[in-house]
Amino acid sequence: MGRIAYVNGRYVPHGDAVVHVEDRGFQFADGVYEYFAVFSGRLADAEGHLERLWRSLSELSIRRPMSEAALVVVLHETVRRNRIKDGAAYVQITRGTARRDHAFPHPSTPPSVVVTAKTVNYAAEQAKAAKGVAVLTQPDNRWGRCDIKTVGLLPNALAKQAARAAGAYEAWLVDELGFITEGASTNAWIVDADGTVRTRDTNANILRGITRRSLIELAADAGLNVSQRPFTVEDVKHAREAFMTAASALVLPVVAIDGATIGDGKPGPVGMKLRALYEQNARATAR
Ligand SMILES: Cc1ncc(COP(=O)(O)O)c(C=O)c1O
């Protein structure tokens, strides 16, 4: 008998156990999970794992897809259908499937629920334990590699949602020294009091935006003074202009930060000129 998985209300053969391509677990790592050891078909440490599962969901404002009793039935049923005596059960719950956008989908979106189970050879595990194992140290940089465009976007999604909930379009992220690093899905720029166009250097732990890179060249070619120097929230408040860049936003003027107006509260001439330059160049060179 082949393996069986539970996917969104159905028990299906393992090979057919799929979630949608726009599931937020797949797109943003916007989900939580638990792994239970299974002994004699029963879930080990069930209370602790279930308690942490509900807590993780609650911390991410993902609603409970079913009652605890119902979830335990699904876990047991998956274990039973896979004829597992000693093994493990895995449950993953995501914010569900919705058109891709960092901010949360409509609250009516049902969470996705996946349960799998497998047999574990605890005799082999015992042999491993009897020998002991080695470890290797690694820097704890979870997740300190913002230069990689990974789908591990949960912090970005949470920041974007906080911005949207506050009536803003984008979140600008601030490091421990008070400098803006970048947006949740964009790079951040200002035109400072001297008229210098500034965006943070890429030695910082940010995504090296392709739009950013092209715009630095275009702005310099247009005779603007461009500097890759970090700026603080206060610098933004006192800037002439601010804007963000991304393939999804092109060059998008920013007129307020944390409720404070930037410049005269309207898109500025430099930002609008750079937007036009960028779009013109991008259209002419697209292939
Ligand atoms: C965190 C972050 N910064 C910056 C950008 C802008 O990059 P690009 O101009 O390559 O679209 C993105 C784009 O998704 C992003 O996710």
Side-chain angles (χ1 to χ4, degrees), residues 100 102 146 148-150 153 156 170 173 182-188 206-213 245-250 278:
R100 189 179 182 281
H102 285 58
C146 302
I148 303 171
K149 197 165 171 66
T150 100
L153 288 170
N156 308 53
E170 171 64 310
L173 309 172
E182 61 180 325
S185 63
T186 58
N187 288 112
I206 64 169
L207 190 75
R208 296 160 199 171
I210 304 304
T211 317
R212 173 190 177 284
R213 190 175 72 184
T245 58
S248 61
L250 306 184
Y278 180 78

